Amino acid sequence: MIHEPVVAAMIIMALIALGEIISIVTRARVSMFLVALIGYLLLIWTGIIPKSLVGDSKFIEIGIVLGTAPIIIHMGTLIPLKAIRSQWKAVAISLMGIIFGAGLILLLIPLMYDYKTAVAGTGPLTGGVIAFLVTSEGLKEVGLTSLVAISALILSLQSLFGMPLSANLLRRYALKFRNAVDAGTYTASALEAGVENVMDTEKVEERNAAWIPKKYQTNLILLFQLFIGGAIAVVLDQFTGIPYSLWALALGIGGRVIGFYPDRVMERANAFTVGMAGLVFLIIATMNDITFDMFISYLPETFLIMFVGILGIFIGGFIGSKLFKWDPLKGLPVALTATVGFPGDYLVCEEISRSVGRNKEEEEMILNEILTPMLIGGFTTVTAGSVVIASILIKTL
């Protein structure tokens, strides 16, 4: 009975749903991935469910098909280029953060462990799910399956450190900002263009420049367009040796710019939720060969990589803030979006504005000040930068 695809999928989905609930209750401080991965490992270690359960569900095939190249193309269509241009300082600071973070890991971790261990942790720490997927696939290809445990642990645990750090720094900045408003030393003209306005303008332009008329942009046709890009990315990988993840990201960004893809193309095709669920199944399946002893033995490496990586992000974010004349209390959280991602970055901003603002007007003013650079930082690190870093590093093994 348990091996029936629908029953098997339901059991795994129960773990994911539990993780989602806990993530919502803790306001993303505890990630869904942490709950789902730990829950799955405990169930297979205790023999309650077999290791074949994820495969029995047949849902993993959806993760392989939808959760790789098509979802990276979708991520490329999320990047609002005009907003990024208006927030170039946030882009530069967040990039400096992940470059210094990756650099420090690659410099120090091999001195204590080895280069392979450093690579296993670098991609996920500088980004999120896709960087983990690129890293885990690469590790398996070169026979380093056991190191996937480090990648999975970092993916699951990094928000436990990134969220409190970001919240503490942003709270101090919000108080400083509020005091500047009280003292009359803050000028509204200092505000840079908001993400929503820029994105709205860009959406209008894209609709006007779309290759396919609106009435033909049905779910199936949009899904077909995603698979066109995904197939091209995979073929280019075979011919050039450049990872399909980089091609897919470039095709998503370029396709949105020229009007081949609308923004949020996978969501418009009503395939994003299913694709993400399949991706989580794919991630969970990577843990099948991780034993309890292996899991425990990799905890020191995991925590050391996170400490070194976050320290590097701090250094890069601080230097970037000083270089571009930003308050480090604002610049450092932008760099730390690499460890938080979406929706964590949005939830932190919402919580800070609500707790520091003394009325609705102040709440909105604070949210407008901190939300745009945080979201742009997340786009830069999690959506684009980490995929590039992970794709390049995995080729060095």
Side-chain angles (χ1 to χ4, degrees):
M1 182 75 71
I2 196 174
H3 296 286
E4 288 292 325
V6 174
V7 177
M10 182 274 294
I11 293 170
I12 302 299
M13 282 302 301
L15 288 172
I16 296 171
L18 176 63
E20 192 78 352
I21 291 169
I22 292 175
S23 177
I24 292 169
V25 170
T26 62
R27 299 189 65 78
R29 287 179 175 82
V30 178
S31 74
M32 175 270 289
F33 294 107
L34 177 62
V35 177
L37 288 176
I38 298 298
Y40 179 73
L41 286 172
L42 289 175
L43 289 175
I44 62 172
W45 288 340
T46 54
I48 295 174
I49 61 173
K51 290 182 179 180
S52 63
L53 192 69
V54 179
D56 293 336
S57 73
K58 308 302 180 187
F59 215 92
I60 191 171
E61 279 80 6
I62 295 175
I64 294 170
V65 175
L66 271 181
T68 49
I71 210 166
I72 299 175
I73 288 172
H74 166 76
M75 290 173 68
T77 68
L78 292 176
I79 299 174
L81 293 181
K82 289 191 176 180
I84 287 176
R85 284 197 296 269
S86 72
Q87 287 280 341
W88 66 271
K89 290 182 181 179
V91 173
I93 291 169
S94 56
L95 281 177
M96 288 185 69
I98 61 172
I99 290 170
F100 272 77
L104 205 59
I105 291 172
L106 296 173
L107 179 65
L108 298 182
I109 297 302
L111 300 178
M112 289 163 273
Y113 296 103
D114 55 37
Y115 179 73
K116 297 168 187 175
T117 300
V119 170
T122 302
L125 187 72
T126 58
V129 177
I130 301 301
F132 164 81
L133 188 63
V134 170
T135 302
S136 62
E137 284 180 352
L139 290 172
K140 286 182 178 179
E141 285 177 7
V142 295
L144 298 171
T145 303
S146 65
L147 291 180
V148 172
I150 294 176
S151 302
L153 282 168
I154 288 174
L155 174 70
S156 303
L157 295 172
Q158 61 181 353
S159 62
L160 289 176
F161 298 90
M163 288 281 282
L165 284 170
S166 298
N168 180 269
L169 291 163
L170 273 181
R171 184 180 302 279
R172 291 166 60 190
Y173 177 74
L175 287 168
K176 194 173 180 180
F177 173 77
R178 192 185 73 182
N179 292 337
V181 173
D182 289 343
T185 57
Y186 168 76
T187 54
S189 59
L191 277 173
E192 297 174 71
V195 169
E196 292 182 2
N197 293 336
V198 175
M199 289 179 74
D200 288 343
T201 303
E202 195 164 274
K203 287 176 189 174
V204 171
E205 291 175 358
E206 285 170 355
R207 281 198 295 269
N208 294 337
W211 288 20
I212 299 175
K214 184 74 173 176
K215 64 180 179 179
Y216 295 118
Q217 292 183 21
T218 64
N219 295 345
L220 289 174
I221 291 175
L222 289 172
L223 198 58
F224 172 59
Q225 287 179 263
L226 271 171
F227 279 104
I228 290 174
I232 291 172
V234 171
V235 170
L236 287 172
D237 180 339
Q238 299 296 320
F239 278 100
T240 65
I242 298 172
Y244 75 86
S245 52
L246 294 182
W247 285 117
L249 189 63
L251 287 168
I253 296 171
R256 177 178 175 178
V257 169
I258 65 175
F260 182 71
Y261 291 121
D263 67 302
R264 300 178 292 108
V265 59
M266 208 168 187
E267 293 174 37
R268 291 177 185 270
N270 285 337
F272 181 70
T273 301
V274 174
M276 280 303 295
L279 188 59
V280 177
F281 272 66
L282 194 59
I283 291 170
I284 287 175
T286 64
M287 305 302 288
N288 274 344
D289 297 322
I290 306 301
T291 64
F292 176 76
D293 290 339
M294 194 184 297
F295 181 88
I296 296 299
S297 68
Y298 279 130
L299 284 177
E301 290 96 320
T302 299
F303 285 110
L304 184 60
I305 288 171
M306 283 197 292
F307 173 78
V308 171
I310 291 174
L311 177 62
I313 291 172
F314 254 81
I315 294 170
F318 184 82
I319 293 173
S321 298
K322 290 296 185 182
L323 187 63
F324 299 111
K325 296 180 172 54
W326 262 28
D327 189 327
L329 293 176
K330 180 181 179 182
L332 287 172
V334 168
L336 283 169
T337 52
T339 65
V340 175
F342 186 86
D345 49 9
Y346 177 82
L347 292 172
V348 167
C349 292
E350 186 183 44
E351 185 176 302
I352 295 303
S353 63
R354 189 177 60 251
S355 61
V356 175
R358 293 165 295 193
N359 51 54
K360 287 295 181 183
E361 185 180 340
E362 278 192 359
E363 285 181 29
E364 187 175 346
M365 186 180 292
I366 291 169
L367 186 63
N368 288 339
E369 170 68 15
I370 62 178
L371 181 60
T372 300
M374 286 291 285
L375 290 180
I376 292 300
F379 278 126
T380 304
T381 56
V382 177
T383 306
S386 64
V387 178
V388 174
I389 288 173
S391 301
I392 292 172
L393 288 180
I394 210 67
K395 286 294 184 181
T396 65
L397 293 178

